[in-house]
Amino acid sequence: MIRFFFILLGLLGLYFYQCYKHVSTNYFKYLRKTFLYYGIAAFFLPIIMDALLSAKPDAVGMFIFSVFSTMFLFGLNTVAYFVFKEIRKDDLKREAEAKESAVRSEKERQDAIKMENDDMRSMKQLMGEITQRVNALNVFNKDINAKISELELLANKTIAEAYGDIAVGVPKEKYYALYDKIHERFSPSADTIVSMQCDRIVKKISNAIDDRKRIVESNNQDISKFHSLQESLQKQYDKEYKIQRMKSFDAKVNEMTDATSDIAVALSSGSLLESTREEFDRLNIEIETRRELEVKYSTIDI
C-alpha cells in the first residue's frame, strides 16, 4: 500500500509537470493536452485497483469513487492552470508575441510572393545561390583549417623528434610556433643530419600551411563580397516590392508620384541583376581555381 502511495505521488508529480509544460492562454487547448487522457485514467484506475485488491468489489461504490477521482483531478487541473499561468505569464507573453510575429512575417512573405515580378524572382533565386555558396565556402574553410591543424601537429612531432630531448622548458604544443627560436638555440647541440632534415620538413610544412592560409583569406574576402552582393540584391528586392505595392494601391496616386526616385532605381534592376550575376560567376571561377590548388597541395609529399 505504501508502495502504491509513492507510485501515485510520482504520477501526480509527473502530471503537474505536464500541466506546467502545456499551460497556455487557451484554456481548452490546455485541457485537451493535460486532462483528456489523464481524466479517463483517473476514472478507471480506482475500479482496476479495487478489482485487483478485493474479491467482491462494490460496483456502485467504485463508480462513485471513480467519478469523484475524475472530478477531483479536474479541480486540481484547473487550479494548476491558473497557478502555472501566473507563474509563466512572462513566458506565455513572449510565446504569444513570437507566434504573432511569425504569423505576421508569413503573411508578409505570402504578400511579397503574390507581388513578385520576374526581376524579383530572379533576385530571390540569386540570393539563394549566394547563400549556398557562402555556406559551401564556410565548409571549405573548415576543412582547410582542419588540415592546417594536422600539418601543425605533424610539425610539432617532427621538431619533438629532433629537439625533444634538448629543448628543455619549451612546451611541446608550441614547438612549431617557436621553431625559429628552437632551431637557433638548440641546433648546435643536435645531430647535424637530423637538424637539417627537420629544418627541411618544417619549412615544407610551413609553405603548405601558408598556401592554405592564403586560400582561407581569399575565401573570407569572397564571403564578404558575396554578402555585399546579397545585401545589394535584398535592398533592390525591397524597393521593387515597395513599388509593386504602390502600384496595387490605385487610390494612392500621389504616393506613386512622390516615389519617382524609387521607381527609377527599380527600373535599373535588370542591369543590377546582370552585373551581380557576372560578379557571382567570376567569384565562382576563382573559388573553383582555389579548390583545384587545394587538391594539388593535398598531394604534396611532406
Side-chain angles (χ1 to χ4, degrees):
M1 192 67 182
I2 296 178
R3 181 181 297 178
F4 172 73
F5 172 76
F6 282 110
I7 293 174
L8 184 61
L9 192 63
L11 290 174
L12 281 174
L14 179 61
Y15 176 69
F16 283 127
Y17 171 74
Q18 292 295 319
C19 292
Y20 176 82
K21 181 180 178 182
H22 293 295
V23 68
S24 68
T25 53
N26 188 324
Y27 175 70
F28 293 102
K29 181 179 178 181
Y30 161 83
L31 203 63
R32 177 172 56 83
K33 290 186 175 182
T34 60
F35 181 72
L36 182 60
Y37 298 110
Y38 291 99
I40 294 173
F43 181 83
F44 285 104
L45 183 61
I47 298 176
I48 295 172
M49 292 304 301
D50 189 72
L52 292 174
L53 299 175
S54 174
K56 295 181 179 180
D58 181 1
V60 176
M62 279 298 96
F63 177 77
I64 295 174
F65 187 47
S66 295
V67 172
F68 172 78
S69 299
T70 305
M71 295 304 296
F72 178 73
L73 184 65
F74 178 78
L76 287 178
N77 180 276
T78 303
V79 172
Y81 172 76
F82 289 105
V83 172
F84 293 145
K85 184 181 178 182
E86 181 63 24
I87 292 175
R88 294 196 59 202
K89 61 181 181 180
D90 292 337
D91 293 336
L92 294 176
K93 182 179 179 181
R94 283 192 294 268
E95 291 173 5
E97 290 174 349
K99 184 177 180 180
E100 182 181 349
S101 176
V103 172
R104 185 167 55 252
S105 297
E106 178 61 21
K107 185 178 182 303
E108 291 175 355
R109 190 181 73 85
Q110 293 298 330
D111 289 342
I113 291 176
K114 292 177 182 178
M115 293 187 178
E116 283 180 352
N117 55 27
D118 291 339
D119 283 344
M120 292 173 72
R121 282 187 285 272
S122 297
M123 290 177 197
K124 182 182 289 186
Q125 179 182 354
L126 186 51
M127 283 189 287
E129 293 178 24
I130 290 174
T131 298
Q132 292 177 358
R133 205 54 173 165
V134 168
N135 291 339
L137 279 173
N138 285 327
V139 172
F140 188 21
N141 279 348
K142 184 178 179 181
D143 292 340
I144 294 177
N145 285 324
K147 291 178 181 177
I148 289 175
S149 296
E150 292 177 5
L151 287 169
E152 290 177 345
L153 181 61
L154 178 59
N156 280 334
K157 290 181 178 179
T158 302
I159 299 168
E161 191 67 28
Y163 298 102
D165 295 335
I166 56 178
V168 180
V170 181
K172 291 184 178 181
E173 65 275 10
K174 293 185 178 181
Y175 276 174
Y176 175 68
L178 300 175
Y179 176 68
D180 289 340
K181 293 182 178 180
I182 292 174
H183 181 266
E184 179 182 357
R185 180 178 176 183
F186 298 106
S187 58
S189 303
D191 182 88
T192 303
I193 296 177
V194 172
S195 177
M196 291 176 62
Q197 287 179 328
C198 176
D199 192 55
R200 179 183 62 81
I201 294 172
V202 170
K203 285 182 179 179
K204 203 168 186 179
I205 291 175
S206 179
N207 289 335
I209 289 175
D210 289 342
D211 289 336
R212 285 171 169 80
K213 285 184 176 180
R214 280 191 289 270
I215 290 177
V216 171
E217 178 60 28
S218 296
N219 285 346
N220 287 335
Q221 291 176 3
D222 283 348
I223 288 174
S224 178
K225 292 176 183 177
F226 277 135
H227 283 315
S228 179
L229 290 176
Q230 195 169 43
E231 183 179 352
S232 297
L233 285 171
Q234 186 63 56
K235 288 181 178 179
Q236 187 66 26
Y237 181 93
D238 293 339
K239 289 180 180 180
E240 288 280 359
Y241 175 59
K242 179 180 178 182
I243 298 304
Q244 294 303 314
R245 281 182 59 85
M246 290 170 66
K247 288 179 179 179
S248 69
F249 299 150
D250 294 336
K252 296 186 177 181
V253 178
N254 289 335
E255 288 186 25
M256 294 177 62
T257 304
D258 293 340
T260 52
S261 60
D262 282 341
I263 292 175
V265 174
L267 293 176
S268 67
S269 61
S271 60
L272 173 65
L273 269 173
E274 183 177 353
S275 62
T276 302
R277 172 61 70 178
E278 290 176 356
E279 178 68 7
F280 180 74
D281 292 339
R282 185 187 67 77
L283 289 173
N284 283 337
I285 293 174
E286 292 182 0
I287 292 166
E288 290 305 321
T289 301
R290 288 198 293 275
R291 286 187 180 278
E292 292 175 3
L293 287 174
E294 168 58 13
V295 171
K296 176 183 176 182
Y297 294 150
S298 298
T299 62
I300 293 178
D301 183 15
I302 299 299

